[in-house]
Amino acid sequence: MRCSAFPEDLIAAQSAWERTYQSLADPVHRERTTLLRRRLLELSVQVWWHPYWREAGTGQRVALRTAARELEAGVG
């Protein structure tokens, strides 16, 4: 799996971001939108300002999202 190139905490934050985003899009969670939006913002900050990005190129952000989606889907 390609996600081994990323720090575990960064992958975990991006995976949580993906799950939160999906929950926000689900009408079942309509009464929790404020909570989910706040969580999405917190996770966005964690992912965007992670120390890993000081060394990595900008193209790696797409690779991170792809790796997190594969991890969530159980691919690899």
Side-chain angles (χ1 to χ4, degrees):
M1 185 187 289
R2 286 181 283 166
C3 65
S4 62
F6 297 103
E8 285 185 35
D9 61 330
L10 182 56
I11 284 284
Q14 183 64 45
S15 294
W17 190 97
E18 296 288 337
R19 287 190 304 275
T20 304
Y21 189 83
Q22 291 300 320
S23 293
L24 189 56
D26 189 347
V28 172
H29 300 290
R30 193 171 306 169
E31 71 282 352
R32 297 179 51 211
T33 57
T34 301
L35 176 69
L36 290 169
R37 285 180 180 159
R38 286 182 183 155
R39 179 69 178 145
L40 199 61
L41 286 171
E42 291 170 2
L43 291 166
S44 294
V45 168
Q46 287 178 24
V47 170
W48 187 264
W49 295 107
H50 193 278
Y52 172 79
W53 301 120
R54 291 184 197 141
E55 303 292 325
T58 56
Q60 292 298 309
R61 292 187 188 273
V62 173
L64 172 66
R65 286 193 296 271
T66 302
R69 288 178 185 147
E70 288 176 355
L71 183 65
E72 289 298 307
V75 176

